[in-house]
Amino acid sequence: MRVRVRLFAIQRELAGTREVPLELADDATIEDAWQSLVERFPVLAPGRPSVRFARNGDYAAAEEPLADGDELACIPPVSGGAVDGATAREYMERRRILELRGEPFDTGIVAELAGRLATPEDGAVVGFIGQTRASPGTPAPGQEAEAARHSGRSVETLDYEAHETMALRILGDIADEIRERYGVERVAIVHRTGNVPLGEPSVAVVAVSPHRDEAFQAARYAIDETKARAPIWKAEHFADGHVWVGAPARTGPEANGRDD
């Protein structure tokens, strides 16, 4: 069978390509595909402990079987996403706004999103803005040596990269979980992709509900889960190089998730 492997962030840079077609045995698993990939690109092998996989846009275990025509995404540590023009995606179900934006936005996006979501029944609007900072984050596994080379320096700019369709699907899952946990249906999560200068917003979250407790809980859950699970990667750029930052992606909500 034939499958298409997609590479992102540090893996894309190491392999020098975004996509790799593989010919595999009919009974091949995701792990078999990874081993075949490593045979072609041995430089990827050390990253295996922190790699997660997605089959056709959904997180999947390494032992899961593949089928002809599958897309296999190898998910390196996430930042913890959108694109321009006709490829920009916006999902709105039950008054939810989930977007990846390639264009800059400012803190006024909180008012924009609140205006699109709030109804006369809502007494609480909670907004969160995450912006880029000069201090470096935790390097992704395998990036420790490069991070050490830039020790003591300030970040000059950041780049965000995303698996767009999968990221939007996961944001939709997070919105569903917010509705189930807190009864909040009107929520927005908007994430930048591309280059984001220092001090500019990279992510915005807004939760709207009749009461403040639920709105605060929903907003906190939205940003925490987005950073932990969405396939969005961040590179911190210095004067003479860059470092990918983040941790291995969590493939679902925590068993004992935040409820307070």
Side-chain angles (χ1 to χ4, degrees), residues 139-154:
Q143 289 280 276
E144 293 84 358
E146 183 66 10
R149 192 170 72 85
H150 301 289
S151 179
R153 304 177 186 176
S154 295

Side-chain angles (χ1 to χ4, degrees), residues 5-8 10-11 14 30-31 34 37-38 43-54 59-62 72-78 141 233 247-251:
V5 178
R6 296 185 65 185
L7 302 175
F8 299 89
I10 187 173
Q11 294 174 344
L14 290 172
I30 289 174
E31 185 64 39
W34 171 260
L37 183 68
V38 167
V43 70
L44 297 178
R48 177 64 185 89
S50 60
V51 171
R52 304 293 181 263
F53 300 102
Y59 280 117
L72 176 64
C74 298
I75 308 296
V78 296
W233 301 278
R250 180 152 42 79
T251 58

Side-chain angles (χ1 to χ4, degrees), residues 95 114-125 186 208-210:
R95 298 298 300 276
R116 294 166 63 183
L117 290 173
T119 73
E121 302 302 317
D122 294 314
V125 175
R186 291 180 296 287
V208 175
S209 72

Side-chain angles (χ1 to χ4, degrees), residues 59 170 173 177 181 221 225 228-229 249-255:
Y59 280 117
I170 289 174
D173 291 343
E177 293 157 15
R181 288 171 179 258
Y221 188 87
E225 293 300 299
R229 292 160 56 187
R250 180 152 42 79
T251 58
E254 290 185 304

Side-chain angles (χ1 to χ4, degrees), residues 16-67:
T17 184
R18 294 180 180 274
E19 293 190 7
V20 180
L22 293 179
E23 296 284 347
L24 302 170
D26 289 341
D27 60 350
T29 64
I30 289 174
E31 185 64 39
D32 294 329
W34 171 260
Q35 295 302 325
S36 179
L37 183 68
V38 167
E39 288 179 8
R40 293 179 60 176
F41 303 100
V43 70
L44 297 178
R48 177 64 185 89
S50 60
V51 171
R52 304 293 181 263
F53 300 102
R55 177 182 176 224
N56 300 326
D58 291 315
Y59 280 117
E63 62 270 18
E64 184 171 316
L66 292 166

Side-chain angles (χ1 to χ4, degrees), residues 188-202:
I189 308 171
V190 179
H191 207 298
R192 277 292 314 275
T193 59
N195 181 262
V196 183
L198 291 183
E200 291 193 6
S202 57

Side-chain angles (χ1 to χ4, degrees), residues 92 95-97 99 101 106-129 186-190 204-209 215:
M92 293 189 68
R95 298 298 300 276
R96 61 178 58 173
I97 302 169
E99 298 180 2
R101 291 192 186 184
D106 58 25
T107 55
I109 192 173
V110 171
E112 171 201 329
L113 297 172
R116 294 166 63 183
L117 290 173
T119 73
E121 302 302 317
D122 294 314
V125 175
V126 173
F128 169 84
I129 292 286
R186 291 180 296 287
V187 63
I189 308 171
V190 179
V205 169
V206 171
V208 175
S209 72

